[in-house]
Each structure stands twice: as structure tokens, then as C-alpha cells.
Amino acid sequence: MGEQGLDEAVQWLREADGLIIAAGAGMGVDSGLPDFRGREGFWRAYPALAAAGLAFEEIADPSNFDADPTLAWGFYGHRLVLYRATRPHAGFAILQDFATRMAHGAAVYTSNVDGQFQRAGFDATRVYEIHGSIHHLQCHRGCGQPIWPADDFLPEIDTAHCRLLSPLPRCPGCGGLARPNILMFSDWSWQSARSDQQAEWLAAWLQRLQRP
């Protein structure tokens, strides 16, 4: 971007009445989070899955919670622990600073499931997580239990083998296996109610803007 483009961007920010933040996996890289780009990058993060020849698309499939739940939760449990421990980078604060100068603040549209925007201090009601959140769980059986926070689940992981060592999380409704409330590959049982509510809020917020 040349100097003229930068000047134009500055002017847009000065005149805007609301900031729309669209973010993908790259947003977490400066915080030290893996982005799982390509098999080699994914396998560097999970050598046990590399040894088994499992690609991201294969492990991020709900069928693994039936076939091998301790492996499935070894992967997702490790990510949950990692995301809980990661401190968001300074870019989040810069975006918040921009938004505080605008009449309607900011809203976030993200494919990330890591909860880093909320951890950085963004209002959780203003974050639309289109693929769900690893910080929430759902019943794997689909018994009708509403989505619930994963706060009480404290996974212990054998990182060398990508295995969950602690007890598997259970649905408070039926006692069956719980899974992350994340839209996975070949996933026909994802419960979207939480994300649907976020989408409704974002649509209403966008209607109020004059100069996004």
C-alpha cells in the first residue's frame, strides 16, 4: 500500500461510525498460535498425528469422537489448553483503540474458534464466531442439551501421543460424551444456536451503521 492508500485508510477510520473486524487464523499467529496451513505446518504442531499420517481434515472430523475419543480429545483438549494460556498480541488492543473513537464501536466476524477476541477484552456479545467456539461444548449424541461453557473441563494431555489422560467430558443432560461446539469437517451434528444468535446481533448492528 502506497502513501496515498495509507492516507485514505486513515481518513476512513476517522470518519467511520463503526469498525467491522473480519479475522481468520492469521490473527492468532503473532500471539504464537499455529494456523495449520498445509500438512507440514500442522504436523509440526502435532508430531503424533504426523506419525499416524493424519491430516487436519481427518482429525477435525466428528466421527473421531466415536472411533477414538481419547485421540479426538487429545487434539481438541491440547488446543483448548493452548488457547486458554495464550495472551493476545498488541494488535487486538490497537483495534479496540480504533473502535472506542467510533459511535457504534466494533463488531467481530471470525472463523477462529480460539476465543482470543474475548480474552483481549472485546465484548463477547459483539463477536460472531461462524465456526463456533472451543470454549463451549455440546452433546455428541445430540440429546437436546443446550450448549454449555467448557470452563469446568480441565484436560490433561499426553502431547507425545496426542491423547487425553483425564476423564472424557460428559453431557450434563444425558451423561454421554461431550464434544467441542465447533463446526468440523463432514459435520452434520454441529449445534449452531449460539452462533446463530451472534449472527442476528451482527445483522442488527450493521443496520445501524452509516459509515462502516
Side-chain angles (χ1 to χ4, degrees):
M1 181 184 293
E3 184 174 343
Q4 182 177 352
L6 285 172
D7 290 342
E8 187 176 29
V10 169
Q11 191 64 28
W12 287 347
L13 287 169
R14 285 176 175 164
E15 296 176 352
D17 63 347
L19 180 66
I20 304 167
I21 302 167
M27 187 65 186
V29 170
D30 283 347
S31 298
L33 297 177
D35 64 2
F36 303 147
R37 295 292 183 188
R39 288 197 176 194
E40 295 306 316
F42 174 65
W43 282 343
R44 280 195 297 272
Y46 292 95
L49 300 181
L54 286 173
F56 175 62
E57 296 83 359
E58 294 170 305
I59 190 63
D61 185 308
S63 64
N64 290 301
F65 289 92
D66 291 313
D68 197 341
T70 63
L71 178 66
W73 266 119
F75 174 59
Y76 281 104
H78 177 268
R79 291 176 66 188
L80 178 58
V81 170
L82 176 64
Y83 297 157
R84 283 173 173 171
T86 298
R87 181 177 180 180
H89 62 76
F92 289 92
I94 293 171
L95 291 172
Q96 285 179 299
D97 184 54
F98 288 157
T100 58
R101 308 177 195 194
M102 301 178 188
H104 296 291
V108 178
Y109 178 94
T110 182
S111 58
N112 297 341
V113 300
D114 54 29
Q116 287 285 288
F117 280 97
Q118 295 92 323
R119 189 170 176 81
F122 282 81
D123 184 344
T125 64
R126 289 172 167 258
V127 181
Y128 174 20
E129 297 160 302
I130 64 171
H131 291 166
S133 169
I134 200 168
H135 300 286
H136 289 77
L137 302 176
Q138 68 176 72
C139 180
H140 183 53
R141 292 177 179 171
C143 74
Q145 168 70 29
I147 300 162
W148 70 96
D151 299 351
D152 293 335
F153 177 43
L154 304 174
E156 297 176 20
I157 309 298
D158 175 355
T159 55
H161 299 95
C162 195
R163 292 278 173 183
L164 180 71
L165 299 176
S166 50
L168 291 163
R170 295 291 173 181
C171 171
C174 69
L177 181 65
R179 53 160 277 188
N181 180 230
I182 292 174
L183 178 61
M184 304 178 196
F185 294 91
S186 303
D187 192 351
W188 310 110
S189 57
W190 178 56
Q191 294 180 24
S192 65
R194 181 173 171 274
S195 293
D196 292 343
Q197 289 181 340
Q198 295 172 340
E200 290 175 7
W201 180 89
L202 179 61
W205 180 78
L206 289 170
Q207 290 297 316
R208 299 198 298 273
L209 299 186
Q210 298 297 318
R211 300 178 305 281

